[in-house]
Amino acid sequence: MGVIEEGAKKSGILWLSLDRPRLAWHVWHDGAIYVVTGGGEQDLPGLAEAGRVRVTLRSKDNGARLVSFDADVEVVDQERSPEAVAALAKERLNAADGAGLTARWAAGSRVVRLTPREPAP
């Protein structure tokens, strides 16, 4: 998991294989990748309903593919995961409503945890 964690920590964006490849900002927190979708945030159609998604991390230095992997998808209960929501909010650049950001997410967005799957032996 070293390459995944290192890549996710170094770059604030990744690609998700959904209806088409989708660029998304994220945060690495507590062994997983977290993204927020909907409610005025990035549009990641079908992610919250997916059981698994293909994730691609690229090098921050030259844009080359660093690693691709499958991740389990889980919608996070924002009230029960305040640390993950706070980590995401800290990385949210240019939010017009910084002070009300997490309340807006609770009302209309989904926070999704992407847990990298262990490769098959």
Side-chain angles (χ1 to χ4, degrees):
M1 292 275 189
V3 173
I4 293 172
E5 181 176 358
E6 183 178 335
K9 285 181 174 180
K10 284 186 176 181
S11 178
I13 59 170
L14 52 72
W15 289 92
L16 299 172
S17 296
L18 296 168
D19 58 333
R20 62 178 172 78
R22 299 273 182 163
L23 183 67
W25 66 271
H26 72 279
V27 67
W28 178 268
H29 175 75
D30 198 24
I33 292 169
Y34 289 81
V35 298
V36 62
T37 182
E41 293 296 335
Q42 57 198 348
D43 187 24
L44 303 171
L47 178 63
E49 296 77 28
R52 187 182 307 173
V53 68
R54 187 79 175 162
V55 179
T56 300
L57 297 172
R58 297 195 170 273
S59 168
K60 188 173 182 177
D61 298 328
N62 61 19
R65 185 178 66 80
L66 185 61
V67 64
S68 291
F69 57 93
D70 289 330
D72 291 324
V73 176
E74 179 185 356
V75 175
V76 173
D77 180 333
Q78 296 179 53
E79 198 171 293
R80 292 184 180 189
S81 301
E83 299 88 8
V85 173
L88 266 171
K90 181 180 173 190
E91 295 300 317
R92 175 61 169 97
L93 303 177
N94 305 317
D97 60 344
L101 183 63
T102 57
R104 179 169 54 86
W105 288 353
S109 299
R110 289 182 166 177
V111 172
V112 179
R113 177 178 30 248
L114 307 175
T115 305
R117 294 180 62 90
E118 293 290 334

